[in-house]
Amino acid sequence: MRDPGDAPQRAVRTLALTTLQQIGLTMVRFGLPVLVPFVRDDLRLSLVQAGILLAALDVGGLAAFIPTGIVADRWGERRVLVAGGVLMGAAAALAALAPTYGFLLAGLTLAGTGFPSGHTAGSKMIVRQFPARSRGLAIGVRQAGLPVGGAIAALWIPALASLGGWRLSLAAVGAACAVFGLWCLALPREENLPGAAGAAALPTLAFDRDFWLVSLMASTLVVGQFTLQGYLPLFLVDEHRWAPSAAGRLLVFVHAGGVVGRLLWGTVSDRLAGGRRKPVLTWVIVGGALILVALSRFPAGAGAWLAGVVAFVGGTFLVGWNGLAVALIVERVGAAHAATALGVALTVLFLGTIGGTPLFGWIVEQSGAYAPAWLFVAACQVAAWASLSTARERVSPSG
């Protein structure tokens, strides 16, 4: 039996390793938008094809979120975290060898099946290890692994791509992802696993109105997150004549803002909102909509400093919301079913990614400008606010 006095050390180790695993996954997922300008030039892709390429990983994730959540609830999070990191990293490295666009799509889709491991198993581990009074910040720290991984990729990938091409860059981030996954072997082993708890949660979730409203909210918010991360470099290249490498590096500011947002909003909800996530998330959604309107009116010839400010603030609001949504979901369903619930919710969420990212590119191509596409994403923020406003929040008594 473990010494209860070791609980704080186990919690810190769990937070550190699950965050590193998430960083590895995200170096592949959010490194891809940095690579897209290089891939587009090499394979001569249209904007719609580029959007489909950005969504390929999410197709794999969509297929794997619910099974991954059920497996994590039934057999433990540690195994899922290791397997997911290794699978995504190895498949991405193999995709770098793809001779054609079709093979590249297939490889990235396979890599995407490992992506749900961090969101489902990693989030459940945090819920089990941290009390409600500090859970918002802890989830925010783990979720900050996404923009941290994206920022590392934005710094690392353009240099590698300039030296050795996009294939070398993709293979390198894939290898790093696999290594971080293997580090999760050092996580504490689970005890008293609940057997078929994961599958048993599905009938309950099917009739939980508020769970579906929060899931719908997340599926519309993610359109803003992924279009900002996916199309901001192309927007600057196409409309403002930036070099691809400089446009890619600007994503560092987006991801840095995302890190700040996930830590800030989690802390605010813990300390200032008494453990309530909904009111803080409402203001985050409104701020994101205003940033998207600003992007639709981004002035020609604006300096790099203004682009950096918009990118950072955009990341704070359009990327920083994720931890609050995760907290809303897991606090509603409880730790025993947390991974399965997140698997279902993130399946719904990724539908927004798969549909929204190519649709953004289609709007640009049909209109000949990016402004209508940014306004479309702002409308998605309004839809997210409408879903959240009618959802009821379950606040822990110790929150």
Side-chain angles (χ1 to χ4, degrees):
M1 182 179 294
R2 292 187 179 124
D3 182 351
D6 292 337
Q9 290 84 356
R10 288 200 306 271
V12 171
R13 180 172 58 171
T14 296
L15 182 57
L17 289 175
T18 56
T19 301
L20 282 173
Q21 193 260 10
Q22 188 67 71
I23 288 172
L25 299 175
T26 310
M27 285 172 64
V28 178
R29 172 59 187 87
F30 293 145
L32 189 58
V34 185
L35 281 176
V36 162
F38 299 94
V39 179
R40 184 178 67 166
D41 290 344
D42 184 31
L43 300 183
R44 302 180 185 277
L45 306 181
S46 68
L47 270 177
V48 172
Q49 286 178 310
I52 294 172
L53 188 67
L54 288 168
L57 277 164
D58 301 332
V59 172
L62 180 66
F65 265 114
I66 294 176
T68 301
I70 292 174
V71 169
D73 279 339
R74 185 170 184 177
W75 286 300
E77 306 95 276
R78 179 174 171 270
R79 296 173 183 175
V80 171
L81 289 166
V82 173
V86 171
L87 172 61
M88 187 170 192
L94 289 174
L97 304 175
T100 65
Y101 176 68
F103 278 100
L104 179 60
L105 285 178
L108 292 176
T109 302
L110 177 61
T113 61
F115 190 61
S117 59
H119 288 283
T120 55
S123 295
K124 177 174 180 174
M125 271 200 152
I126 298 304
V127 171
R128 288 197 300 105
Q129 296 282 355
F130 287 85
R133 65 180 179 273
S134 59
R135 188 178 297 146
L137 176 58
I139 291 176
V141 170
R142 201 205 66 80
Q143 291 295 116
L146 281 85
V148 167
I152 293 171
L155 287 170
W156 182 18
I157 283 178
L160 278 179
S162 298
L163 290 174
W166 65 267
R167 297 179 187 275
L168 173 64
S169 298
L170 184 57
V173 295
C177 177
V179 169
F180 288 170
L182 288 171
W183 282 359
C184 287
L185 289 169
L187 284 166
R189 294 180 181 273
E190 303 88 344
E191 296 177 352
N192 302 320
L193 292 173
L202 293 176
T204 302
L205 293 174
F207 297 100
D208 190 331
R209 168 187 173 274
D210 299 298
F211 168 79
W212 288 108
L213 284 170
V214 175
S215 299
L216 180 61
M217 173 210 71
S219 73
T220 47
L221 282 182
V222 81
V223 176
Q225 177 180 334
F226 280 16
T227 52
L228 181 70
Q229 294 167 327
Y231 279 100
L232 184 61
L234 293 173
F235 168 62
L236 293 171
V237 169
D238 292 345
E239 288 207 346
H240 297 275
R241 303 296 184 262
W242 284 44
S245 58
R249 283 193 293 269
L250 193 70
L251 286 179
V252 173
F253 293 93
V254 174
H255 295 304
V259 172
V260 171
R262 293 182 186 208
L263 299 179
L264 174 63
W265 307 135
T267 301
V268 169
S269 69
D270 281 344
R271 305 292 176 84
L272 301 182
R276 298 179 65 206
R277 321 300 176 188
K278 182 177 172 179
V280 181
L281 190 50
T282 299
W283 287 109
V284 172
I285 292 172
V286 172
L290 294 175
I291 289 297
L292 289 161
V293 172
L295 276 172
S296 73
R297 297 176 175 274
F298 196 74
W305 66 271
L306 179 59
V309 169
V310 171
F312 179 82
V313 178
T316 304
F317 286 92
L318 293 168
V319 182
W321 60 271
N322 195 283
L324 292 175
V326 169
L328 267 176
I329 291 168
V330 299
E331 289 171 350
R332 176 158 195 86
V333 302
H337 305 311
T340 300
L342 286 169
V344 174
L346 290 165
T347 299
V348 177
L349 180 150
F350 268 52
L351 290 173
T353 303
I354 292 169
T357 309
L359 182 57
F360 184 100
W362 181 83
I363 293 172
V364 173
E365 289 191 338
Q366 294 301 307
S367 65
Y370 279 78
W374 292 126
L375 291 176
F376 154 72
V377 183
C380 291
Q381 296 284 120
V382 175
W385 172 82
S387 295
L388 178 65
S389 65
T390 55
R392 293 167 296 183
E393 179 177 7
R394 181 174 295 168
V395 182
S396 169
S398 58

Tab-separated table of all heavy atoms in Angstrom, residues 74-100:
chain	number	residue	atom	x	y	z
A	74	ARG	N	-11.038	1.382	-18.491
A	74	ARG	CA	-11.119	-0.046	-18.147
A	74	ARG	C	-9.780	-0.635	-17.736
A	74	ARG	O	-9.703	-1.400	-16.769
A	74	ARG	CB	-11.688	-0.826	-19.335
A	74	ARG	CG	-11.915	-2.293	-19.040
A	74	ARG	CD	-12.690	-2.973	-20.129
A	74	ARG	NE	-12.983	-4.354	-19.784
A	74	ARG	CZ	-13.701	-5.184	-20.541
A	74	ARG	NH1	-14.215	-4.756	-21.685
A	74	ARG	NH2	-13.916	-6.429	-20.160
A	75	TRP	N	-8.712	-0.302	-18.458
A	75	TRP	CA	-7.415	-0.938	-18.225
A	75	TRP	C	-6.325	0.005	-17.717
A	75	TRP	O	-5.197	-0.411	-17.520
A	75	TRP	CB	-6.942	-1.645	-19.498
A	75	TRP	CG	-7.706	-2.907	-19.771
A	75	TRP	CD1	-7.794	-4.009	-18.962
A	75	TRP	CD2	-8.492	-3.197	-20.921
A	75	TRP	NE1	-8.587	-4.964	-19.542
A	75	TRP	CE2	-9.037	-4.492	-20.751
A	75	TRP	CE3	-8.802	-2.485	-22.088
A	75	TRP	CZ2	-9.866	-5.092	-21.688
A	75	TRP	CZ3	-9.621	-3.089	-23.023
A	75	TRP	CH2	-10.141	-4.372	-22.830
A	76	GLY	N	-6.665	1.251	-17.529
A	76	GLY	CA	-5.703	2.162	-16.933
A	76	GLY	C	-5.106	3.150	-17.910
A	76	GLY	O	-4.938	2.863	-19.098
A	77	GLU	N	-4.758	4.324	-17.381
A	77	GLU	CA	-4.279	5.424	-18.210
A	77	GLU	C	-2.828	5.260	-18.638
A	77	GLU	O	-2.426	5.720	-19.713
A	77	GLU	CB	-4.409	6.744	-17.447
A	77	GLU	CG	-5.800	7.047	-16.908
A	77	GLU	CD	-5.979	6.616	-15.469
A	77	GLU	OE1	-6.290	5.431	-15.245
A	77	GLU	OE2	-5.782	7.454	-14.563
A	78	ARG	N	-2.012	4.651	-17.794
A	78	ARG	CA	-0.572	4.561	-18.060
A	78	ARG	C	-0.290	3.854	-19.386
A	78	ARG	O	0.505	4.337	-20.209
A	78	ARG	CB	0.099	3.828	-16.897
A	78	ARG	CG	1.600	3.626	-17.015
A	78	ARG	CD	2.110	3.016	-15.715
A	78	ARG	NE	3.497	2.597	-15.813
A	78	ARG	CZ	3.886	1.396	-16.208
A	78	ARG	NH1	2.969	0.487	-16.553
A	78	ARG	NH2	5.159	1.092	-16.263
A	79	ARG	N	-0.921	2.713	-19.603
A	79	ARG	CA	-0.702	1.963	-20.843
A	79	ARG	C	-1.137	2.770	-22.064
A	79	ARG	O	-0.476	2.745	-23.110
A	79	ARG	CB	-1.481	0.654	-20.793
A	79	ARG	CG	-1.034	-0.318	-19.706
A	79	ARG	CD	-1.974	-1.503	-19.645
A	79	ARG	NE	-1.633	-2.432	-18.587
A	79	ARG	CZ	-2.345	-3.498	-18.260
A	79	ARG	NH1	-3.471	-3.753	-18.918
A	79	ARG	NH2	-1.958	-4.292	-17.287
A	80	VAL	N	-2.259	3.459	-21.920
A	80	VAL	CA	-2.773	4.241	-23.044
A	80	VAL	C	-1.828	5.390	-23.391
A	80	VAL	O	-1.578	5.678	-24.572
A	80	VAL	CB	-4.186	4.767	-22.708
A	80	VAL	CG1	-4.656	5.776	-23.760
A	80	VAL	CG2	-5.166	3.607	-22.615
A	81	LEU	N	-1.272	6.050	-22.382
A	81	LEU	CA	-0.353	7.168	-22.627
A	81	LEU	C	0.907	6.707	-23.336
A	81	LEU	O	1.389	7.369	-24.270
A	81	LEU	CB	-0.015	7.845	-21.301
A	81	LEU	CG	-1.150	8.661	-20.666
A	81	LEU	CD1	-0.827	8.986	-19.216
A	81	LEU	CD2	-1.401	9.939	-21.447
A	82	VAL	N	1.459	5.576	-22.914
A	82	VAL	CA	2.671	5.055	-23.568
A	82	VAL	C	2.363	4.667	-25.009
A	82	VAL	O	3.060	5.082	-25.950
A	82	VAL	CB	3.228	3.852	-22.789
A	82	VAL	CG1	4.381	3.213	-23.559
A	82	VAL	CG2	3.694	4.277	-21.403
A	83	ALA	N	1.313	3.864	-25.205
A	83	ALA	CA	0.994	3.367	-26.539
A	83	ALA	C	0.638	4.504	-27.494
A	83	ALA	O	1.050	4.510	-28.665
A	83	ALA	CB	-0.154	2.367	-26.460
A	84	GLY	N	-0.124	5.485	-27.002
A	84	GLY	CA	-0.532	6.591	-27.863
A	84	GLY	C	0.635	7.426	-28.340
A	84	GLY	O	0.715	7.799	-29.521
A	85	GLY	N	1.580	7.733	-27.436
A	85	GLY	CA	2.735	8.524	-27.831
A	85	GLY	C	3.617	7.814	-28.837
A	85	GLY	O	4.076	8.398	-29.829
A	86	VAL	N	3.844	6.520	-28.609
A	86	VAL	CA	4.694	5.753	-29.522
A	86	VAL	C	4.021	5.603	-30.886
A	86	VAL	O	4.670	5.754	-31.936
A	86	VAL	CB	5.027	4.382	-28.916
A	86	VAL	CG1	5.728	3.492	-29.934
A	86	VAL	CG2	5.889	4.544	-27.670
A	87	LEU	N	2.720	5.307	-30.895
A	87	LEU	CA	2.006	5.132	-32.165
A	87	LEU	C	2.017	6.406	-32.992
A	87	LEU	O	2.336	6.386	-34.189
A	87	LEU	CB	0.566	4.702	-31.886
A	87	LEU	CG	-0.371	4.661	-33.106
A	87	LEU	CD1	0.136	3.673	-34.143
A	87	LEU	CD2	-1.795	4.309	-32.674
A	88	MET	N	1.691	7.535	-32.367
A	88	MET	CA	1.628	8.780	-33.134
A	88	MET	C	2.996	9.170	-33.660
A	88	MET	O	3.144	9.585	-34.814
A	88	MET	CB	1.054	9.900	-32.274
A	88	MET	CG	0.802	11.182	-33.058
A	88	MET	SD	-0.148	12.396	-32.114
A	88	MET	CE	-0.552	13.557	-33.427
A	89	GLY	N	4.020	9.033	-32.821
A	89	GLY	CA	5.357	9.402	-33.248
A	89	GLY	C	5.879	8.532	-34.375
A	89	GLY	O	6.427	9.031	-35.372
A	90	ALA	N	5.703	7.207	-34.253
A	90	ALA	CA	6.205	6.299	-35.280
A	90	ALA	C	5.473	6.499	-36.607
A	90	ALA	O	6.097	6.503	-37.684
A	90	ALA	CB	6.066	4.859	-34.806
A	91	ALA	N	4.141	6.680	-36.544
A	91	ALA	CA	3.376	6.868	-37.782
A	91	ALA	C	3.745	8.181	-38.466
A	91	ALA	O	3.826	8.248	-39.704
A	91	ALA	CB	1.883	6.829	-37.474
A	92	ALA	N	3.984	9.244	-37.693
A	92	ALA	CA	4.389	10.521	-38.290
A	92	ALA	C	5.742	10.406	-38.964
A	92	ALA	O	5.958	10.952	-40.061
A	92	ALA	CB	4.413	11.610	-37.220
A	93	ALA	N	6.664	9.700	-38.309
A	93	ALA	CA	7.983	9.521	-38.911
A	93	ALA	C	7.886	8.747	-40.223
A	93	ALA	O	8.570	9.070	-41.205
A	93	ALA	CB	8.905	8.808	-37.921
A	94	LEU	N	7.022	7.732	-40.256
A	94	LEU	CA	6.838	6.972	-41.499
A	94	LEU	C	6.152	7.816	-42.573
A	94	LEU	O	6.456	7.686	-43.764
A	94	LEU	CB	6.019	5.716	-41.216
A	94	LEU	CG	6.729	4.621	-40.413
A	94	LEU	CD1	5.765	3.491	-40.081
A	94	LEU	CD2	7.930	4.082	-41.191
A	95	ALA	N	5.227	8.699	-42.163
A	95	ALA	CA	4.544	9.564	-43.128
A	95	ALA	C	5.521	10.488	-43.840
A	95	ALA	O	5.276	10.914	-44.975
A	95	ALA	CB	3.460	10.375	-42.427
A	96	ALA	N	6.637	10.799	-43.180
A	96	ALA	CA	7.638	11.660	-43.809
A	96	ALA	C	8.262	11.009	-45.043
A	96	ALA	O	8.849	11.697	-45.880
A	96	ALA	CB	8.731	12.001	-42.796
A	97	LEU	N	8.129	9.695	-45.157
A	97	LEU	CA	8.681	8.974	-46.311
A	97	LEU	C	7.678	8.848	-47.450
A	97	LEU	O	8.002	8.276	-48.493
A	97	LEU	CB	9.133	7.570	-45.884
A	97	LEU	CG	10.151	7.508	-44.737
A	97	LEU	CD1	10.409	6.053	-44.358
A	97	LEU	CD2	11.448	8.200	-45.134
A	98	ALA	N	6.449	9.361	-47.270
A	98	ALA	CA	5.386	9.173	-48.253
A	98	ALA	C	5.762	9.767	-49.608
A	98	ALA	O	6.166	10.931	-49.685
A	98	ALA	CB	4.096	9.812	-47.744
A	99	PRO	N	5.612	8.997	-50.701
A	99	PRO	CA	5.995	9.506	-52.025
A	99	PRO	C	4.951	10.413	-52.664
A	99	PRO	O	5.266	11.165	-53.587
A	99	PRO	CB	6.177	8.222	-52.848
A	99	PRO	CG	5.253	7.234	-52.197
A	99	PRO	CD	5.241	7.569	-50.733
A	100	THR	N	3.684	10.339	-52.199
A	100	THR	CA	2.611	11.118	-52.810
A	100	THR	C	1.720	11.743	-51.744
A	100	THR	O	1.785	11.382	-50.561
A	100	THR	CB	1.728	10.238	-53.723
A	100	THR	OG1	1.052	9.266	-52.904
A	100	THR	CG2	2.562	9.529	-54.783
